[in-house]
Every structure is written in structure tokens, then in C-alpha cells.
């Protein structure tokens, strides 16, 4: 690597006068990088939590749909049983629904 050419995109913050002085005297140019990224990388955590939230919301949607279908099936069975009246097999009569008396 040629250390005599000024860096292009590596360190554009070095003033030209300091670079020329270091180049003329043979002094090395020290580049200090402050890495202030301490903490939690939020993007790495946000994506799994978003996926988990979508799965939970979908699960609750499926449960709500199942409850709605079972409720509709129960009402349908009640209406059919009420319209059919008592069912008898071999002398045993089974009344599936109570009649409304007002």
C-alpha cells in the first residue's frame, strides 16, 4: 500500500495542511476512529419481534374465526332441531329443543 498518496474516501476529514506537513517531514498520520455504537442494535431485534407479533395476531384471528364458525353452527343446529320437532327411534322419543311458551 502506498502511504504517500492522500486517502480518498478513507479519511476526508484530514486537513490538507496537516497532510502536507506530515508528508514533508515523514511523520505518520494517525487516524482515530471514535466508535460510539454502544447499546442494542434495534433493527436486529425489531424484525423478529414484528414477525412474532404478526404470528400472534394471526393466531388470535384464527381463534376468533373458529369461535364465530362454531357459534354459527350451534345456532344453525338449534334452529334445525327446533323446526324438526321430537325425534323418535324404537319407542324412545328425544326432544332436541324446547318449545317457546309465552
Amino acid at each position: 500500500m502506498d502511504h504517500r498518496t492522500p486517502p480518498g474516501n478513507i479519511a476526508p476529514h484530514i486537513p490538507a495542511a496537516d497532510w502536507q506537513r506530515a508528508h514533508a517531514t515523514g511523520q505518520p498520520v494517525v487516524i482515530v476512529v471514535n466508535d460510539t455504537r454502544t447499546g442494542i442494535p434495534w433493527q436486529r431485534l425489531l424484525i423478529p419481534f414484528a414477525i412474532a407479533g404478526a404470528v400472534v395476531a394471526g393466531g388470535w384471528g384464527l381463534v376468533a374465526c373458529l369461535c364465530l364458525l362454531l357459534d354459527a353452527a350451534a345456532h344453525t343446529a338449534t334452529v334445525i332441531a327446533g323446526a324438526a320437532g321430537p325425534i323418535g327411534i324404537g319407542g324412545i322419543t328425544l326432544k332436541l329443543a324446547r318449545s317457546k311458551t309465552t
Side-chain angles (χ1 to χ4, degrees), residues 33-98:
V33 177
N34 292 326
D35 189 14
T36 58
R37 290 184 289 167
T38 59
I40 301 171
W42 290 108
Q43 186 177 8
R44 208 171 75 184
L45 292 175
L46 183 65
I47 292 172
F49 277 114
I51 292 171
V55 168
V56 168
W60 277 109
L62 286 175
V63 167
C65 227
L66 182 64
C67 288
L68 182 71
L69 287 173
L70 288 175
D71 185 50
H75 282 280
T76 303
T78 303
V79 167
I80 291 172
I87 296 176
I89 298 175
I92 299 173
T93 304
L94 179 64
K95 189 173 183 182
L96 298 177
R98 288 187 226 150

